[in-house]
Amino acid sequence: MAGNIFGTAVYYDADCNLNALKGKKITVLGYGSQGHAHALNLKDNGMDVTVGLREGSKSWQAAQAAGLPVKTTADAVKGADVVMVLIPDELQAETYEKDIAPNLKQGVYLAFAHGFNIHYKKIVPPADANIFMVAPKGPGHLVRRTFTEGSGVPSLVAVEQDPAGDTMEVAKAWAAGIGAGRAGILETTYRQETETDLFGEQAVLCGGVCALMQAGFETLVEAGYNPVNAYFEAIHEMKLIVDLIYEGGFQTMRNSISNTAEYGDYVTGPKIITDDTKAAMKNILADVQSGAFADEFLADYKGGFKKLYAEREKAANHECEKVGAELRGLMSWLKK
């Protein structure tokens, strides 16, 4: 039954009613990582699901082969009671203006798996639309795999507009329909999800961790140490530590490492993550909160992703990537 974790409402299958979706015409836009998982899981739960894709999409045949009806985005939106938008953030606003908005029925339930475009008002739906979010806290392949195994991935749910008065019930039904009710459905808001997600990606999960590992690799190599040793110590073994934290938090990780490593953790961590680092994180959060990052990202997209592609190429050519590729070739278990 429903619970509470540090002020956050948590729902399970018993708190959700799939009938809130049954009988409704459902459209899932996109058939990538999340799109295929949402569409197939709902289909397996007896829902009337159509996939909407752009003309010529390479996913068209894959969706059809899975037994799903496929239409162009505009045609899939026409007459749909519930539309879930699962295409990349940078494509959503222009797709909305061109293919979604002109074809939305009155009183539609319009949903997203990330709050980016709604929160920053890149998409402004009509006042009669019911706006909700279901955001699984895991990649689509995991959402699909766990569902087929009888479990699920926890998901966030949020409601932004609720003229019908039952949008949260529809959101919970969607979350339960993709398997999240087996693990936990946590209530949030569009603002909370969007800003914490972007900050986490930039300051910790991707930007912070990758920059930290790369700086550690460079420091060792510049000091004359062999790149192989540097790669193992600064990059490869990160997974061992993160897996332990994933399984049981910092305490489990610290119980599993040597006393030497634990002592170094306590005394050296604060020398790396200083007050200046925390101040930089606050500036990053401020850019996320103000929408400055969103505008910068979308401006780069509209300019042909020049910065994104340049940084991608630069990162791909870094020495640590070349060393890592050679070392991973020795690891037979990675090929399975």
Side-chain angles (χ1 to χ4, degrees):
M1 296 297 291
N4 188 288
I5 300 177
F6 293 100
T8 297
V10 185
Y11 307 105
Y12 298 94
D13 279 342
D15 308 301
C16 306
N17 184 2
L18 290 181
N19 288 329
L21 280 180
K22 285 184 177 176
K24 288 183 169 63
K25 292 183 178 180
I26 296 170
T27 285
V28 172
L29 300 181
Y31 198 71
S33 175
Q34 289 293 338
H36 92 283
H38 287 238
L40 290 173
N41 291 4
L42 289 172
K43 173 180 175 290
D44 288 351
N45 261 320
M47 305 303 172
D48 178 6
V49 183
T50 296
V51 172
L53 297 171
R54 69 181 187 278
E55 291 274 12
S57 170
K58 62 183 180 182
S59 299
W60 196 291
Q61 290 185 333
Q64 285 185 325
L68 290 158
V70 185
K71 298 180 181 179
T72 62
T73 299
D75 286 341
V77 171
K78 290 176 183 175
D81 299 302
V82 188
V83 177
M84 171 65 80
V85 182
L86 296 174
I87 61 177
D89 289 334
E90 66 272 18
L91 301 180
Q92 288 185 14
E94 60 190 65
T95 302
Y96 178 82
E97 291 300 324
K98 178 176 177 287
D99 294 321
I100 300 175
N103 298 296
L104 288 174
K105 68 182 292 185
Q106 188 172 4
V108 69
Y109 293 85
L110 182 62
F112 301 82
H114 178 39
F116 186 97
N117 280 281
I118 293 293
H119 178 59
Y120 294 120
K121 301 190 184 307
K122 308 305 178 184
I123 292 175
V124 181
D128 66 271
N130 303 280
I131 311 301
F132 71 89
M133 180 200 317
V134 175
K137 300 312 293 177
H141 73 267
L142 191 63
V143 174
R144 179 58 181 162
R145 192 192 82 205
T146 55
F147 177 88
T148 61
E149 293 172 347
S151 61
V153 172
S155 291
L156 301 179
V157 293
V159 170
E160 186 76 1
Q161 288 183 190
D162 186 25
D166 65 350
T167 309
M168 180 54 77
E169 294 309 307
V170 173
K172 287 160 56 180
W174 188 288
I178 64 171
R182 304 165 180 174
I185 301 165
L186 297 91
E187 190 172 343
T188 187
T189 66
Y190 263 73
R191 173 180 174 270
Q192 289 266 351
E193 187 278 336
T194 303
E195 294 178 359
T196 57
D197 186 72
L198 292 177
F199 173 80
E201 290 168 349
Q202 294 171 40
V204 183
L205 304 177
C206 304
V209 167
C210 290
L212 179 66
M213 290 190 289
Q214 186 168 302
F217 175 87
E218 291 171 348
T219 300
L220 288 172
V221 171
E222 289 165 6
Y225 295 97
N226 189 294
V228 168
N229 294 74
Y231 187 88
F232 275 127
E233 296 302 329
I235 298 176
H236 176 77
E237 292 186 13
M238 177 65 78
K239 182 181 182 333
L240 306 178
I241 299 302
V242 170
D243 281 352
L244 289 168
I245 296 170
Y246 184 84
E247 292 167 10
F250 292 139
Q251 186 174 1
T252 291
M253 179 271 290
R254 286 167 175 151
N255 286 340
S256 301
I257 61 178
S258 68
N259 290 335
T260 315
E262 185 181 4
Y263 183 84
D265 172 356
Y266 298 136
V267 302
T268 306
K271 298 176 186 177
I272 300 296
I273 307 302
T274 64
D275 289 341
D276 288 341
T277 310
K278 190 79 171 288
M281 285 185 169
K282 289 181 178 180
N283 289 334
I284 291 164
L285 180 57
D287 283 346
V288 167
Q289 292 170 327
S290 69
F293 169 78
D295 290 341
E296 178 186 335
F297 169 70
L298 292 175
D300 192 47
Y301 162 67
K302 290 174 183 176
F305 268 151
K306 291 178 182 176
K307 182 173 181 61
L308 175 65
Y309 294 154
E311 292 295 333
R312 183 181 292 171
E313 182 177 5
K314 178 181 174 183
N317 289 318
H318 192 278
E319 184 182 10
C320 71
E321 286 291 83
K322 298 172 183 177
V323 173
E326 292 290 331
L327 291 177
R328 286 190 295 274
L330 305 177
M331 302 172 191
S332 59
W333 64 89
L334 293 180
K335 301 172 185 176
K336 294 181 180 179

